[in-house]
Amino acid sequence: MKTLLKRAVLFFTLPICISGYFSSPAAADSTADLILSTQCQGSYNIDIWRNYRSGELLYRAISPNGNLSLGGGTSQATEGVRVYKFGSGNYEYWVWDGTLDDPQAGTLEVYQNNRLLMRQACTRR
């Protein structure tokens, strides 16, 4: 009887657990809203998130050079184009959302000590 009860419990709870796991939103989705997702030259994938509670801007980059996560970003409109800026030590990361000619295009710029190190063309994903 105990074996039958264990099998019955397993039979009913396992599908519930599995469906709950796959239907749950991703961890980042539960605390922040994705506001920009771009794919840049050189295999850089950049996502900009806004924390629901604090409004803090978050930068997430996946690249051949490794992954980078930054918080405390700023956002401003410049000549009709939005730019997101993030800093880490002597480095600054600027993500331009669109261009005057193409709102689906953008640019990733990396500065070290206010000197441009890298500029990559990007497109929205």
Side-chain angles (χ1 to χ4, degrees):
M1 188 67 169
K2 282 186 178 181
T3 306
L4 182 60
L5 182 60
K6 286 181 184 178
R7 286 183 184 167
V9 168
L10 184 62
F11 178 77
F12 287 111
T13 58
L14 189 59
I16 293 170
C17 293
I18 291 172
S19 66
Y21 176 78
F22 287 109
S23 65
S24 298
D29 292 344
S30 66
T31 61
D33 186 28
L34 181 64
I35 57 176
L36 177 64
S37 183
T38 64
Q39 185 170 10
C40 304
Q41 291 175 336
S43 299
Y44 287 86
N45 293 317
I46 311 295
D47 293 330
I48 307 292
W49 300 80
R50 183 181 310 277
N51 185 290
Y52 287 131
R53 280 192 229 139
S54 67
E56 177 185 23
L57 292 175
L58 309 168
Y59 173 95
R60 303 289 184 260
I62 299 170
S63 77
N65 298 327
N67 301 340
L68 179 62
S69 295
L70 300 172
T74 61
S75 170
Q76 67 186 55
T78 304
E79 298 178 13
V81 178
R82 183 148 304 274
V83 61
Y84 300 94
K85 298 179 182 180
F86 297 86
S88 176
N90 296 332
Y91 292 90
E92 286 187 18
Y93 303 85
W94 293 18
V95 180
W96 294 85
D97 182 12
T99 65
L100 293 175
D101 297 328
D102 186 358
Q104 295 300 311
T107 307
L108 167 64
E109 296 177 341
V110 179
Y111 295 86
Q112 182 182 23
N113 296 323
N114 297 321
R115 209 174 111 236
L116 181 65
L117 291 179
M118 180 182 76
R119 179 179 287 140
Q120 300 289 348
C122 305
T123 55
R124 281 181 167 254
R125 287 192 282 167

